[in-house]
Amino acid sequence: MFQPSPWRADFPAIAALQRQHQTYLDSAATTQKPQHLLDALSHYYTQGAANVHRAQHLPGALATQAFEASREKVAAWLNAADAQQIVFTHGATSALNLLAYGLEWRLEAGDEIAVSALEHHANLLPWQQLAQRRGLRLVILPLDANGHIDLEAALQLIGPRTRVLAVSQLSNVLGTWQPLQPLLDHARAQGALSVVDGAQGVVHGRHDVQQLGCDFYVFSSHKLYGPDGLGVLYGRREALGLLRHWQFGGEMVQLAGYQQSSFRPAPLGFEAGTPPIASVIGLGASLDYLASLDATSVVEHEAALHRHLLRGLNDREGVRILGAPQLALASFVVEGVHNADLAHLLTEQGIAVRAGHHCAMPLVNSLGLDGAIRVSLALYNDSHDLERFFSALDQALELLR
Ligand SMILES: Cc1ncc(COP(=O)(O)O)c(C=O)c1O
């Protein structure tokens, strides 16, 4: 049965891509943007751009007002208690690097950082590099057969030496929700700080950082239908207070002297230099748009499409889905077919999916693979997109076998 997307027309790029005979199924990499966001960007750039927090003139005041209004919207989206707990960075990657640098002073040789075996490089390499700099032990939490962090094993591995637990909420390769709550509760009981990589999770449903009780939560605007070049770091007030400043320059300073300076607390103390102003304002507009949608319909639509995707993949001989994806995406390999060859033939037929290791090389390698194809969905996709994909897949497999 045809499953239309009631929101498809809100995303002008989808029609444009269709005119170019492209079916976009790579939203876990980045999303298309709603008209609402494009209007906000156009308004900002056509009505007068200005820098924020420094100019006393009218355009500067208006830009600052819109910028800070976005901070409030992000705080509301995550149910943070206070907008001052929201730091704007240049992406989730940059937020995670900020954390690894900001927390470095608290860690000493022999301390442990726990990450899971399925982390995106963005939530692995900053901790790995920190561990190498400080002589720390990087503990890798293993997975179960379905692609969840093995809770029993993880609870054993997170102990009194664990100073930081950094885990993804939703895997960008396996599409599995991780058992965050017991992990976070256990980490807190052990005195460890917790970092949630919400880059994929934040896009699906609403998540309440206070209820989760994490110390830090990180995501990228561009995956949440917002502009790129922008990330969000939420921190519990006390946890933000533990971070050492890491980038220095304009607007993050309290008092500057030739030999000594003092710095502002979060959020501005961690937003050195001119921030991505238009992107911040744009993210606010994207959140306004998302907040205007019927959340239940969105969840049902995404779940129905995902079931369709899994059914179609499972129906095809030789196709093996990685893990047991619960939402948003599925990665798969085909017996006897290299993922790069398959990706090439799908690309030729206008199917935009991702192939390779998905920036989670250790995970993909640990599955005995050098890559997989990933199909990822967003609220503008419909079942025709999936039918086009399946038909292209069948043709490609016929050629390759
Ligand atoms: C789970 C996860 N974490 C972090 C990132 C990094 O996000 P960005 O590249 O926007 O900084 C990604 C991007 O794919 C991701 O999927």
Side-chain angles (χ1 to χ4, degrees):
M1 202 180 71
F2 176 51
Q3 163 93 23
S5 162
W7 311 286
R8 200 166 170 93
D10 299 341
F11 293 81
I14 292 295
L17 286 165
Q18 218 163 324
R19 287 193 293 278
Q20 300 162 53
H21 309 289
Q22 293 296 310
T23 300
Y24 191 74
L25 291 167
D26 194 19
S27 293
T30 200
T31 50
Q32 304 304 326
K33 312 305 173 198
Q35 184 64 47
H36 207 71
L37 157 62
L38 307 180
D39 292 343
L41 292 179
S42 165
H43 183 268
Y44 171 67
Y45 282 126
T46 56
Q47 299 306 303
N51 215 323
V52 290
H53 299 132
R54 48 202 100 195
Q56 69 288 2
H57 49 64
L58 181 67
L62 291 175
T64 304
Q65 213 173 54
F67 185 92
E68 290 303 322
S70 275
R71 204 189 297 277
E72 301 273 351
K73 289 173 196 178
V74 173
W77 189 258
L78 297 176
N79 194 34
D82 181 357
Q84 298 307 299
Q85 293 172 265
I86 302 298
V87 177
F88 290 122
T89 66
H90 294 278
T93 301
S94 145
L96 290 161
N97 276 279
L98 184 168
L99 289 175
Y101 279 103
L103 294 173
E104 179 163 352
W105 69 278
R106 301 187 82 234
L107 304 172
E108 53 191 44
D111 284 347
E112 294 179 357
I113 296 176
V115 298
S116 86
L118 55 69
E119 297 309 316
H120 186 283
H121 296 164
N123 195 34
L124 170 65
L125 304 190
W127 304 115
Q128 183 190 82
Q129 294 302 303
L130 168 59
Q132 288 174 11
R133 287 197 300 275
R134 298 294 268 199
L136 315 176
R137 209 162 81 82
L138 192 63
V139 175
I140 310 296
L141 307 176
L143 308 179
D144 66 18
N146 286 334
H148 298 103
I149 297 171
D150 180 333
L151 195 53
E152 210 175 307
L155 297 184
Q156 294 288 324
L157 288 166
I158 301 166
R161 299 246 50 176
T162 311
R163 306 299 306 282
V164 178
L165 165 72
V167 282
S168 283
Q169 187 175 26
L170 176 66
S171 164
N172 67 309
V173 179
L174 305 173
T176 43
W177 290 105
Q178 299 310 315
L180 275 191
Q181 203 64 66
L183 287 172
L184 297 175
D185 292 347
H186 182 70
R188 189 173 335 106
Q190 297 294 325
L193 287 168
S194 57
V195 176
V196 175
D197 175 357
Q200 297 293 339
V202 76
V203 189
H204 304 283
R206 292 293 290 270
H207 305 283
D208 180 329
V209 287
Q210 294 191 69
Q211 201 178 341
L212 274 175
C214 53
D215 291 298
F216 300 103
Y217 185 96
V218 161
F219 73 89
S220 273
S221 153
H222 69 96
K223 293 190 199 281
L224 187 56
Y225 308 100
D228 47 27
L230 173 63
V232 167
L233 165 65
Y234 153 84
R236 245 179 3 93
R237 231 183 303 259
E238 300 74 16
L240 285 172
L242 297 175
L243 296 175
R244 283 280 154 86
H245 293 86
W246 81 309
Q247 287 186 335
F248 302 88
E251 287 309 304
M252 53 78 67
V253 82
Q254 214 142 32
L255 287 172
Y258 283 117
Q259 303 296 340
Q260 290 294 331
S261 300
S262 59
F263 309 112
R264 286 170 140 170
L268 294 187
F270 294 89
E271 295 176 1
T274 299
I277 301 166
S279 292
V280 169
I281 294 172
L283 175 61
S286 294
L287 293 180
D288 286 342
Y289 167 75
L290 291 173
S292 76
L293 308 182
D294 175 34
T296 313
S297 309
V298 172
V299 169
E300 283 171 2
H301 176 72
E302 291 190 341
L305 277 187
H306 193 249
R307 283 194 299 272
H308 184 166
L309 172 62
L310 295 189
R311 225 177 16 248
L313 288 174
N314 280 322
D315 280 352
R316 280 161 175 83
E317 219 183 289
V319 170
R320 178 163 68 87
I321 298 175
L322 308 190
Q326 292 166 290
L327 194 67
L329 59 89
S331 298
F332 67 95
V333 289
V334 183
E335 217 179 282
V337 171
H338 195 273
N339 74 88
D341 297 334
L342 180 51
H344 177 73
L345 291 180
L346 290 173
T347 302
E348 280 200 334
Q349 296 179 81
I351 305 295
V353 292
R354 174 101 184 258
H357 52 65
H358 312 292
C359 298
M361 211 187 280
L363 167 66
V364 171
N365 290 345
S366 75
L367 298 171
L369 302 169
D370 64 352
I373 305 271
R374 182 183 70 188
V375 179
S376 56
L377 305 165
L379 52 86
Y380 38 70
N381 287 120
D382 62 22
S383 51
H384 280 162
D385 292 335
L386 287 177
E387 288 310 326
R388 276 193 289 273
F389 159 66
F390 287 129
S391 140
L393 178 63
D394 289 339
Q395 284 195 44
L397 291 181
E398 217 174 286
L399 268 174
L400 289 169
R401 276 175 169 159

